[in-house]
Amino acid sequence: MNYLNYAAAVFLLIPIAAIAINNICPKPYMKKNFHTLTGTVAVFQIAAAAYALCAMNANGLTAYDFSILSNLKITGSALFRLTPVSLIFLLCIGMVAFVSVAVASKTVESMRISYVNLLMTMLIGMNGMVLVKDLFTLYVFLDVVGISSFVLISLFRSTKALEGSVKYLVISEFATIFILTALAFIFMQTGSLAYQDIGGVLEGADGSQKNLIYLSIALLIAGFSIKAGAVPFHSWLPDAHQSADTAVSILLSGIVIKIAGVYGLFMVVSLFPGVRAVQIALAAIGVASILTGALLALRQTHFKRIVAYSSVSQIGYILLGLSCGTTVGLIGAVAHVFSHAAFKTTLFSNAAALHEQVGTLDIDKMGGLQSRMPVTSLSSVVAFLSTAGIPPFAGFWSKLLIIIALWTSGSAVLGGVALIASIFTCAYLLRLQKKVFFGETPEHLKNVTEVKGGIKFVEIALTVITSATGILFPLVLIYLQSRGLI
Amino acid sequence: MDQNMNFQTVMLIVGFLMIIAGCYCMIRTYHILKIFIGVEIAMKAVTMFLVLAGYVNGRAGLSQAYVITAIVLEVVVAVVFAGVTIHLYKKYGNMDIRNLTQLKG
Amino acid sequence: MEVIIYICLALLLSFCILAAMSQSLLKSAIFLAFASATLGVILFVLGAPWAAVIEVSACSGLVTVIFISAISLSRIKKEEVQKLYADKKQMKYLPYILIIAGIVIIVAALAGSVALPGTAVESTEDFREVFWNSRQADILGQIVSILIGGIAVYVLMRESKD
């Protein structure tokens, strides 16, 4: 049991220690080895999450409370809680942070110490969000993640990056206002905002007070959808993800929109279960996101912008999974969070590789790179197949779970829409692959070579993870069935 | 209608009006710094809601903790926003939001 | 006590509308500072003295100083301001929108009978105990965000090397 306590303390204390080490060590040394420090932090996080999952499973725990300052003698003072769902999110955070660091070792040339500081604070924010037991503390860490992502986007102060950062900031402030208003109204009804106290608020309220609660649930959904980049609040997402440095885009698209947005909606769905209007609203937002993201991605010519619109589309799938209200839907949504993290980071790593070797990200200027950059093109094809939901990759299983959940919970129409939208997904990604990797090689690209070092390693690793998760997923399903969850 | 307009209800109404005023100011202005004035107006309404909630259900200490945390976060966002805005001024020469047209589509 | 609250609410709303509609950004910031002071009075009457103090000192003081320093770092001539921004056209609909919204909200409130309990419950807890003992995760979040603010000032305000 003690080891679980140490593993739990890793998530919040190791980034703080890394910030201290980063600023105390001499500067030239840190500038050369910044990826070692942050890579170690990410590996620690992955290892601690995996260990905690196994330990909690072996001991049969469903929740483990802990606190950082262990000299509190007050009962009920454990401020953080580990649950299996939060451990899966923590695993995803660690994986995406590792990929981002590997890419950053090549693409981030200056301001490395500030990059490490900001990455560590973003890690503290994201870990904090999934670990707390109180809705207001969730908002505090959400704001921490938001502020550190504003600064990370505008780290290199190019005009496009500042513009993307301003747009993200303004729309994010709307989310802050909505979420805080909703929290104030919920606080009026119950006496506190801890998760266990909010549970019974809908039953205990009478007619007039229920209207305020419904209004606050609507505001919470709106606020978290803004952070997740779902339609109709998606306009900041392509600008912010395109204009940021690629290492930052990996973080943003791979994990921030999911932790900040999807985890918030997951908490809303689990705190107010059974409200029919919530399910309808989430399903509507989900379907609109899938279709809008896919259709708008068909017209773009910038590699990262296509991938950013693809993020909007996949967030729609995750929201559809959440809207079912059944356990299968939740499991499908969490599985899709993991597989989306895997294939989206692969696509952005390919963008980083292309930018390093070719120098541009305009797909009209590229072509026929498959023979020149075999590793990049293979990982890109694997990511494309996983996104479109083709077996045996990880994306197939998570999409299958979501569509099964939609069928069994009565909305067969939505299941059909999700299935048909896969055709659009295939369409825009196929266009991307064809234009970049297949076809004729233009003259000025005849000498392009494969990218070396961290980016290549990470592309190979992610391809292996996507394939292995896909092949081994039936084992996960058998395990979940043995626990009675499916 | 037997509901009396006690001051709590008036506070709720004034708060909603302030949020609408703040959001309208954020959407319709052309000056980048005025966007933040809209955010500030809406945050004042939220502060008022939080303290009103504490007054109504007796947990004034907890509501003050919430308000102070929210104010600290808002000040940090103000600092970051001012920094980014000053840089945009250095690039463009004025603080017009219609300059931000580089990312399209 | 209620009279004070009503007067202060009216003052607060009018300062906020003036801040939103004003042409010059300096006047907007000053109106915002006055609105913060009025809100501080309301918070004090509602029994939240600590929140009132921090509201007046942080929002009325600190944020106004940040604003005015941002405005003075971006000094631009007065005539160009009037020509460029033309906010007057945009903002002149604000009072009408607010009046319509106010009528809609009052009708909705009376129809939906959204009622808050009229009597206040006496508060039995001390702010300092609650804040330092049971909101420690919030304190961690605040410290991290202040750290990010410091890094942001360094990143955004340093002299560029090129």
PDB file of all heavy atoms in Angstrom, chain A residues 228-230 237 257-258 262 286 289-290 310-320 336 340:
ATOM      1  N   ALA A 228     -13.200  21.971 -25.355  1.00  0.00           N
ATOM      2  CA  ALA A 228     -12.908  20.760 -26.119  1.00  0.00           C
ATOM      3  C   ALA A 228     -12.823  21.045 -27.606  1.00  0.00           C
ATOM      4  O   ALA A 228     -12.374  20.194 -28.357  1.00  0.00           O
ATOM      5  CB  ALA A 228     -13.975  19.704 -25.871  1.00  0.00           C
ATOM      6  N   GLY A 229     -13.253  22.204 -28.041  1.00  0.00           N
ATOM      7  CA  GLY A 229     -13.207  22.479 -29.466  1.00  0.00           C
ATOM      8  C   GLY A 229     -14.319  21.816 -30.237  1.00  0.00           C
ATOM      9  O   GLY A 229     -14.136  21.427 -31.382  1.00  0.00           O
ATOM     10  N   ALA A 230     -15.476  21.651 -29.617  1.00  0.00           N
ATOM     11  CA  ALA A 230     -16.601  21.063 -30.318  1.00  0.00           C
ATOM     12  C   ALA A 230     -17.397  22.166 -30.992  1.00  0.00           C
ATOM     13  O   ALA A 230     -17.386  23.298 -30.563  1.00  0.00           O
ATOM     14  CB  ALA A 230     -17.491  20.297 -29.339  1.00  0.00           C
ATOM     15  N   LEU A 237      -9.786  26.409 -32.661  1.00  0.00           N
ATOM     16  CA  LEU A 237      -8.926  25.237 -32.684  1.00  0.00           C
ATOM     17  C   LEU A 237      -7.983  25.166 -33.882  1.00  0.00           C
ATOM     18  O   LEU A 237      -6.787  24.993 -33.681  1.00  0.00           O
ATOM     19  CB  LEU A 237      -9.783  23.974 -32.588  1.00  0.00           C
ATOM     20  CG  LEU A 237      -9.088  22.748 -32.013  1.00  0.00           C
ATOM     21  CD1 LEU A 237     -10.086  21.935 -31.243  1.00  0.00           C
ATOM     22  CD2 LEU A 237      -8.498  21.889 -33.079  1.00  0.00           C
ATOM     23  N   ILE A 257      -7.044  19.269 -25.324  1.00  0.00           N
ATOM     24  CA  ILE A 257      -8.466  19.406 -25.576  1.00  0.00           C
ATOM     25  C   ILE A 257      -9.232  18.268 -24.950  1.00  0.00           C
ATOM     26  O   ILE A 257     -10.405  18.425 -24.585  1.00  0.00           O
ATOM     27  CB  ILE A 257      -8.792  19.492 -27.079  1.00  0.00           C
ATOM     28  CG1 ILE A 257      -8.196  18.347 -27.852  1.00  0.00           C
ATOM     29  CG2 ILE A 257      -8.347  20.783 -27.633  1.00  0.00           C
ATOM     30  CD1 ILE A 257      -8.616  18.382 -29.296  1.00  0.00           C
ATOM     31  N   LYS A 258      -8.577  17.133 -24.741  1.00  0.00           N
ATOM     32  CA  LYS A 258      -9.320  16.038 -24.154  1.00  0.00           C
ATOM     33  C   LYS A 258      -9.404  16.146 -22.645  1.00  0.00           C
ATOM     34  O   LYS A 258     -10.453  15.909 -22.064  1.00  0.00           O
ATOM     35  CB  LYS A 258      -8.714  14.721 -24.599  1.00  0.00           C
ATOM     36  CG  LYS A 258      -9.128  14.455 -26.016  1.00  0.00           C
ATOM     37  CD  LYS A 258      -8.507  13.246 -26.528  1.00  0.00           C
ATOM     38  CE  LYS A 258      -7.071  13.512 -26.779  1.00  0.00           C
ATOM     39  NZ  LYS A 258      -6.485  12.418 -27.524  1.00  0.00           N
ATOM     40  N   VAL A 262     -13.044  17.119 -22.651  1.00  0.00           N
ATOM     41  CA  VAL A 262     -13.773  15.850 -22.573  1.00  0.00           C
ATOM     42  C   VAL A 262     -13.867  15.370 -21.126  1.00  0.00           C
ATOM     43  O   VAL A 262     -14.912  14.867 -20.700  1.00  0.00           O
ATOM     44  CB  VAL A 262     -13.082  14.800 -23.463  1.00  0.00           C
ATOM     45  CG1 VAL A 262     -13.662  13.447 -23.236  1.00  0.00           C
ATOM     46  CG2 VAL A 262     -13.233  15.194 -24.899  1.00  0.00           C
ATOM     47  N   GLY A 286     -22.011  16.321 -30.685  1.00  0.00           N
ATOM     48  CA  GLY A 286     -21.113  15.322 -31.243  1.00  0.00           C
ATOM     49  C   GLY A 286     -21.300  15.152 -32.736  1.00  0.00           C
ATOM     50  O   GLY A 286     -20.341  15.183 -33.515  1.00  0.00           O
ATOM     51  N   SER A 289     -20.091  18.137 -34.635  1.00  0.00           N
ATOM     52  CA  SER A 289     -18.627  18.208 -34.692  1.00  0.00           C
ATOM     53  C   SER A 289     -18.069  17.253 -35.719  1.00  0.00           C
ATOM     54  O   SER A 289     -17.165  17.609 -36.485  1.00  0.00           O
ATOM     55  CB  SER A 289     -18.027  17.864 -33.330  1.00  0.00           C
ATOM     56  OG  SER A 289     -18.518  18.693 -32.363  1.00  0.00           O
ATOM     57  N   ILE A 290     -18.600  16.008 -35.742  1.00  0.00           N
ATOM     58  CA  ILE A 290     -18.066  15.031 -36.679  1.00  0.00           C
ATOM     59  C   ILE A 290     -18.212  15.550 -38.105  1.00  0.00           C
ATOM     60  O   ILE A 290     -17.262  15.588 -38.892  1.00  0.00           O
ATOM     61  CB  ILE A 290     -18.794  13.683 -36.547  1.00  0.00           C
ATOM     62  CG1 ILE A 290     -18.572  13.076 -35.171  1.00  0.00           C
ATOM     63  CG2 ILE A 290     -18.327  12.725 -37.596  1.00  0.00           C
ATOM     64  CD1 ILE A 290     -19.291  11.783 -34.996  1.00  0.00           C
ATOM     65  N   SER A 310      -9.324  17.529 -38.198  1.00  0.00           N
ATOM     66  CA  SER A 310      -9.581  16.133 -37.883  1.00  0.00           C
ATOM     67  C   SER A 310      -9.775  15.945 -36.391  1.00  0.00           C
ATOM     68  O   SER A 310     -10.567  15.098 -35.954  1.00  0.00           O
ATOM     69  CB  SER A 310      -8.406  15.288 -38.402  1.00  0.00           C
ATOM     70  OG  SER A 310      -8.414  14.041 -37.797  1.00  0.00           O
ATOM     71  N   SER A 311      -9.070  16.753 -35.574  1.00  0.00           N
ATOM     72  CA  SER A 311      -9.272  16.678 -34.128  1.00  0.00           C
ATOM     73  C   SER A 311     -10.697  17.035 -33.758  1.00  0.00           C
ATOM     74  O   SER A 311     -11.309  16.394 -32.907  1.00  0.00           O
ATOM     75  CB  SER A 311      -8.340  17.638 -33.393  1.00  0.00           C
ATOM     76  OG  SER A 311      -7.058  17.150 -33.336  1.00  0.00           O
ATOM     77  N   VAL A 312     -11.227  18.097 -34.416  1.00  0.00           N
ATOM     78  CA  VAL A 312     -12.613  18.499 -34.145  1.00  0.00           C
ATOM     79  C   VAL A 312     -13.542  17.331 -34.414  1.00  0.00           C
ATOM     80  O   VAL A 312     -14.452  17.013 -33.639  1.00  0.00           O
ATOM     81  CB  VAL A 312     -12.989  19.715 -35.030  1.00  0.00           C
ATOM     82  CG1 VAL A 312     -14.458  20.016 -34.912  1.00  0.00           C
ATOM     83  CG2 VAL A 312     -12.198  20.916 -34.633  1.00  0.00           C
ATOM     84  N   SER A 313     -13.285  16.641 -35.540  1.00  0.00           N
ATOM     85  CA  SER A 313     -14.143  15.536 -35.914  1.00  0.00           C
ATOM     86  C   SER A 313     -14.079  14.398 -34.897  1.00  0.00           C
ATOM     87  O   SER A 313     -15.094  13.838 -34.493  1.00  0.00           O
ATOM     88  CB  SER A 313     -13.704  15.059 -37.301  1.00  0.00           C
ATOM     89  OG  SER A 313     -14.649  14.240 -37.863  1.00  0.00           O
ATOM     90  N   GLN A 314     -12.860  14.070 -34.436  1.00  0.00           N
ATOM     91  CA  GLN A 314     -12.743  12.940 -33.512  1.00  0.00           C
ATOM     92  C   GLN A 314     -13.316  13.275 -32.151  1.00  0.00           C
ATOM     93  O   GLN A 314     -13.815  12.396 -31.442  1.00  0.00           O
ATOM     94  CB  GLN A 314     -11.282  12.520 -33.373  1.00  0.00           C
ATOM     95  CG  GLN A 314     -10.653  12.121 -34.680  1.00  0.00           C
ATOM     96  CD  GLN A 314     -11.377  10.958 -35.294  1.00  0.00           C
ATOM     97  OE1 GLN A 314     -11.699   9.989 -34.646  1.00  0.00           O
ATOM     98  NE2 GLN A 314     -11.658  11.074 -36.580  1.00  0.00           N
ATOM     99  N   ILE A 315     -13.234  14.556 -31.740  1.00  0.00           N
ATOM    100  CA  ILE A 315     -13.866  14.947 -30.477  1.00  0.00           C
ATOM    101  C   ILE A 315     -15.372  14.687 -30.571  1.00  0.00           C
ATOM    102  O   ILE A 315     -16.013  14.295 -29.591  1.00  0.00           O
ATOM    103  CB  ILE A 315     -13.574  16.429 -30.168  1.00  0.00           C
ATOM    104  CG1 ILE A 315     -12.134  16.609 -29.770  1.00  0.00           C
ATOM    105  CG2 ILE A 315     -14.472  16.953 -29.087  1.00  0.00           C
ATOM    106  CD1 ILE A 315     -11.829  16.105 -28.403  1.00  0.00           C
ATOM    107  N   GLY A 316     -15.932  14.863 -31.767  1.00  0.00           N
ATOM    108  CA  GLY A 316     -17.341  14.548 -31.946  1.00  0.00           C
ATOM    109  C   GLY A 316     -17.638  13.095 -31.642  1.00  0.00           C
ATOM    110  O   GLY A 316     -18.652  12.772 -30.999  1.00  0.00           O
ATOM    111  N   TYR A 317     -16.746  12.198 -32.090  1.00  0.00           N
ATOM    112  CA  TYR A 317     -16.952  10.778 -31.785  1.00  0.00           C
ATOM    113  C   TYR A 317     -16.938  10.527 -30.288  1.00  0.00           C
ATOM    114  O   TYR A 317     -17.756   9.778 -29.747  1.00  0.00           O
ATOM    115  CB  TYR A 317     -15.848   9.940 -32.443  1.00  0.00           C
ATOM    116  CG  TYR A 317     -16.132   9.577 -33.862  1.00  0.00           C
ATOM    117  CD1 TYR A 317     -15.492  10.225 -34.893  1.00  0.00           C
ATOM    118  CD2 TYR A 317     -17.054   8.591 -34.171  1.00  0.00           C
ATOM    119  CE1 TYR A 317     -15.744   9.904 -36.197  1.00  0.00           C
ATOM    120  CE2 TYR A 317     -17.313   8.264 -35.474  1.00  0.00           C
ATOM    121  CZ  TYR A 317     -16.667   8.921 -36.483  1.00  0.00           C
ATOM    122  OH  TYR A 317     -16.924   8.599 -37.783  1.00  0.00           O
ATOM    123  N   ILE A 318     -15.976  11.165 -29.604  1.00  0.00           N
ATOM    124  CA  ILE A 318     -15.871  10.932 -28.161  1.00  0.00           C
ATOM    125  C   ILE A 318     -17.134  11.442 -27.461  1.00  0.00           C
ATOM    126  O   ILE A 318     -17.659  10.797 -26.541  1.00  0.00           O
ATOM    127  CB  ILE A 318     -14.605  11.615 -27.597  1.00  0.00           C
ATOM    128  CG1 ILE A 318     -13.370  11.089 -28.307  1.00  0.00           C
ATOM    129  CG2 ILE A 318     -14.496  11.406 -26.131  1.00  0.00           C
ATOM    130  CD1 ILE A 318     -12.103  11.714 -27.841  1.00  0.00           C
ATOM    131  N   LEU A 319     -17.640  12.602 -27.922  1.00  0.00           N
ATOM    132  CA  LEU A 319     -18.857  13.123 -27.289  1.00  0.00           C
ATOM    133  C   LEU A 319     -20.053  12.234 -27.564  1.00  0.00           C
ATOM    134  O   LEU A 319     -20.927  12.075 -26.711  1.00  0.00           O
ATOM    135  CB  LEU A 319     -19.133  14.538 -27.793  1.00  0.00           C
ATOM    136  CG  LEU A 319     -18.132  15.564 -27.319  1.00  0.00           C
ATOM    137  CD1 LEU A 319     -18.518  16.922 -27.817  1.00  0.00           C
ATOM    138  CD2 LEU A 319     -18.086  15.577 -25.821  1.00  0.00           C
ATOM    139  N   LEU A 320     -20.099  11.637 -28.772  1.00  0.00           N
ATOM    140  CA  LEU A 320     -21.196  10.702 -29.036  1.00  0.00           C
ATOM    141  C   LEU A 320     -21.128   9.517 -28.084  1.00  0.00           C
ATOM    142  O   LEU A 320     -22.146   9.030 -27.595  1.00  0.00           O
ATOM    143  CB  LEU A 320     -21.109  10.184 -30.474  1.00  0.00           C
ATOM    144  CG  LEU A 320     -21.876  10.955 -31.517  1.00  0.00           C
ATOM    145  CD1 LEU A 320     -21.789  10.238 -32.840  1.00  0.00           C
ATOM    146  CD2 LEU A 320     -23.323  11.087 -31.120  1.00  0.00           C
ATOM    147  N   HIS A 336     -11.379   5.711 -27.093  1.00  0.00           N
ATOM    148  CA  HIS A 336     -11.112   6.589 -28.226  1.00  0.00           C
ATOM    149  C   HIS A 336     -10.193   7.723 -27.827  1.00  0.00           C
ATOM    150  O   HIS A 336      -9.413   8.203 -28.643  1.00  0.00           O
ATOM    151  CB  HIS A 336     -12.411   7.145 -28.792  1.00  0.00           C
ATOM    152  CG  HIS A 336     -12.291   7.567 -30.210  1.00  0.00           C
ATOM    153  ND1 HIS A 336     -12.050   6.681 -31.233  1.00  0.00           N
ATOM    154  CD2 HIS A 336     -12.333   8.789 -30.786  1.00  0.00           C
ATOM    155  CE1 HIS A 336     -11.976   7.337 -32.366  1.00  0.00           C
ATOM    156  NE2 HIS A 336     -12.144   8.621 -32.139  1.00  0.00           N
ATOM    157  N   HIS A 340      -7.030   8.117 -30.058  1.00  0.00           N
ATOM    158  CA  HIS A 340      -6.876   9.394 -30.720  1.00  0.00           C
ATOM    159  C   HIS A 340      -5.566  10.050 -30.330  1.00  0.00           C
ATOM    160  O   HIS A 340      -4.883  10.647 -31.179  1.00  0.00           O
ATOM    161  CB  HIS A 340      -8.055  10.313 -30.376  1.00  0.00           C
ATOM    162  CG  HIS A 340      -7.948  11.669 -30.971  1.00  0.00           C
ATOM    163  ND1 HIS A 340      -8.168  12.816 -30.268  1.00  0.00           N
ATOM    164  CD2 HIS A 340      -7.626  12.081 -32.213  1.00  0.00           C
ATOM    165  CE1 HIS A 340      -7.997  13.860 -31.050  1.00  0.00           C
ATOM    166  NE2 HIS A 340      -7.674  13.444 -32.235  1.00  0.00           N
TER     167      HIS A 340
END
